[in-house]
């Protein structure tokens, strides 16, 4: 869409302007300017064009400038007797690539790249001939910022009320904030809203609203740009509000014992659907240990973990709820059930703790768009004569790989003495299009172990059995 502005009257009267102009002023041309797009978003490009129509003087100069308070800002000058000269905007002297001007088929064009709020304003194209002829036309450049989607979160939760916070940024001109309830009623008057303008000229919104804690009620926060006649909106159900808490964030355990990682779900109204999850995270790992899904309205018969289904097994495979436990954790981990689970106790118990079990664990709960999580740090230690000390022994990791096996193998590990290594290996395996198994097991053992043996046992005579010995050159 193009917006055209003329320096004279309607286009149909141009011949008359030519005659009158030549008779009165001694020249017969007009200047027409247009802008594309008429409203440009922050970060996008905009083109200004200045077209000369009629008997343009042989020697003429076209000058683009911006009308500023106190002093106009020169942007680009083109002379019909020499090449165009680009003058960098004062506000963009650090980036000459932000503006480009050129002459093309009788039109002098000016293009702004990655427009900012400061580029909004009125621009003038002035044409001067060596015979004293002068014409100009101006046009506004309108800039708008369509900000980020609102982030709607719980700020505070009391026995009978909750406080919501709605934040967003990147808006121009100053937007309107609109809060509505489930009936569509405008409740913005109950909110406290702060709108601040940043150094870039864009506005940031921070609005809080305190509402009664009514089950299944819906609250909406919308940010409206009146110039664009567009808005962004976020909706949340009060019944979805919950929180997670734990008695402590760091847990210390002794090798060989069982330990509980605490996680308590705090909620007044249990949401109609929810996902509960325990994960172990770290620089080299991010794996789901336990996952529980339930939905009061929709059976979960066809639900499963697409991204992680191979190492996971069903605990309850039907009805409106389902559970998964990572297969390698079948003897290692368990989640509280029965009355404790009904009370919101979703703590994780780990059995027979080993060195490699140490690290960060995340307990999370998600319902629709509402999410809460807490991090538990497990420190594995050893007992000396007086107290429990954090285990400082260096751990080395070994990997045993296989490929092209007709049956899924059993993998075991032994040390240099022939003793089985009691540890929890990490396993990745897959089956290709020819139904052949490939995979790997990784295990962590003390670095002073001089030799580690990996034995692969299969049930297929074609595959046979294999044993691989790895000598640790760093061991004493």
């Amino acid at each position: 869409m193009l917006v055209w502005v003329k320096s004279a009257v309607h286009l149909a009267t141009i011949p008359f302007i030519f005659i009158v102009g030549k008779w009165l002023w001694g020249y017969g041309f007009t200047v027409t300017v247009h802008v594309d797009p008429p409203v440009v978003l922050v970060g996008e490009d905009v083109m200004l064009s200045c077209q000369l129509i009629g008997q343009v003087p042989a020697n003429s100069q076209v000058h683009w400038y911006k009308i500023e308070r106190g002093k106009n800002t020169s942007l680009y000058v083109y002379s019909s007797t020499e090449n165009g000269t680009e003058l960098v905007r004062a506000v963009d002297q650090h980036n000459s690539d932000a503006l480009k001007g050129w002459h093309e088929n009788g039109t002098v064009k000016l293009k702004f790249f990655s427009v900012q709020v400061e580029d909004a304003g009125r621009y003038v194209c002035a044409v001067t001939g060596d015979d004293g002829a002068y014409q100009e036309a101006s046009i506004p450049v309108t800039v708008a910022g369509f900000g980020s989607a609102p982030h709607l979160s719980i700020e505070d939760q009391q026995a009978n009320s909750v406080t919501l916070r709605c934040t967003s940024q990147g808006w121009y001109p100053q937007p309107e904030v609109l809060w509505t309830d489930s009936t569509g009623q405008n409740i913005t008057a109950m909110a406290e809203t702060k709108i601040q303008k940043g150094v870039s000229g864009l506005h940031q919104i921070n609005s809080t609203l305190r509402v009664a804690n009514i089950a299944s009620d819906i609250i909406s926060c919308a940010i409206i740009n009146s110039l664009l006649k567009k808005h962004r909106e976020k909706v949340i159900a009060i019944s979805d509000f919950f929180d997670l808490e734990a008695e402590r964030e760091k847990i210390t355990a002794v090798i060989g014992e069982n330990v509980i990682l605490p996680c308590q779900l705090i909620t007044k109204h249990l949401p109609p659907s929810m996902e509960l999850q325990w994960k172990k995270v770290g620089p080299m790992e991010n794996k789901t240990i336990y996952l529980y899904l339930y939905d009061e309205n929709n059976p979960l018969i066809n639900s499963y973990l697409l991204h992680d289904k191979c190492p996971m097994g069903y605990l309850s495979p039907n009805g409106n709820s389902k559970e998964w436990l990572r297969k390698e954790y079948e003897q290692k981990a368990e989640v509280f059930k029965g009355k404790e689970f009904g009370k919101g106790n979703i703590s994780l118990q780990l059995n027979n703790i080993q060195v490699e079990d140490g690290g960060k664990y995340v307990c999370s709960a998600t319902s629709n768009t509402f999410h809460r999580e807490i991090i538990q740090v497990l420190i594995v230690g050893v007992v000396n004569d007086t107290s429990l000390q954090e285990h400082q022994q260096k751990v080395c990791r070994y990997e045993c790989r296989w490929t092209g096996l007709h049956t899924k193998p059993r993998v075991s590990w032994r040390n240099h003495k022939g003793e089985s290594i009691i540890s929890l290996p990490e396993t990745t395996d897959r089956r290709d299009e020819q139904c052949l198994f490939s995979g790997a097991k990784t295990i962590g053992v003390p670095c002073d172990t001089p030799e580690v043996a990996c034995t692969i046992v299969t049930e297929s005579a074609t595959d046979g059995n294999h044993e691989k010995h790895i000598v640790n050159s760093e061991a004493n």
Side-chain angles (χ1 to χ4, degrees), residues 228-281:
L228 297 172
K229 296 181 172 57
K230 295 171 62 177
H231 72 278
R232 295 191 188 275
E233 183 179 15
K234 190 72 172 181
V235 178
I236 195 168
I238 294 181
S239 59
D240 289 347
F241 292 159
F242 53 82
D243 206 354
L244 295 176
E245 65 178 28
E247 299 174 358
R248 54 193 185 278
E249 297 179 353
K250 289 187 178 181
I251 309 296
T252 304
V254 177
I255 292 177
E257 73 173 8
N258 301 339
V259 66
I260 294 177
L261 304 181
C263 186
Q264 182 72 36
L265 177 66
I266 308 297
T267 180
K268 183 177 181 180
H269 305 286
L270 194 64
S273 63
M274 181 172 278
E275 174 186 302
L276 305 174
Q277 186 172 195
W278 273 99
K279 298 177 69 175
K280 187 178 183 187
V281 299

Side-chain angles (χ1 to χ4, degrees), residues 311 327-329 397-403 408-413 421 423-430 438-444 452-457 470:
K327 287 184 178 179
E328 63 190 75
Y329 278 85
R397 304 180 73 84
Y398 299 92
E399 185 179 72
C400 187
R401 290 181 175 271
W402 61 90
T403 184
K408 190 172 183 178
R410 300 192 308 274
V411 181
S412 60
W413 296 83
I421 299 176
S423 185
L424 184 62
E426 301 175 11
T427 306
T428 57
D429 55 18
R430 63 182 180 85
S438 299
K441 272 186 179 290
T442 304
I443 194 171
V452 176
C454 165
T455 303
I456 300 175
V457 179
I470 305 173

Side-chain angles (χ1 to χ4, degrees), residues 333-345:
E334 35 185 321
V335 177
F336 283 74
K337 301 293 179 61
K339 292 182 178 179
E340 287 298 315
F341 192 85
K343 295 177 182 178
N345 185 356

Side-chain angles (χ1 to χ4, degrees), residues 5-11 13-14 17 29-32 135-137:
V5 176
K6 288 180 72 286
S7 63
V9 293
H10 193 270
L11 192 62
T13 64
I14 284 180
I17 292 298
F29 70 94
T30 57
V31 178
T32 304
Q135 279 279 47
E136 71 174 33

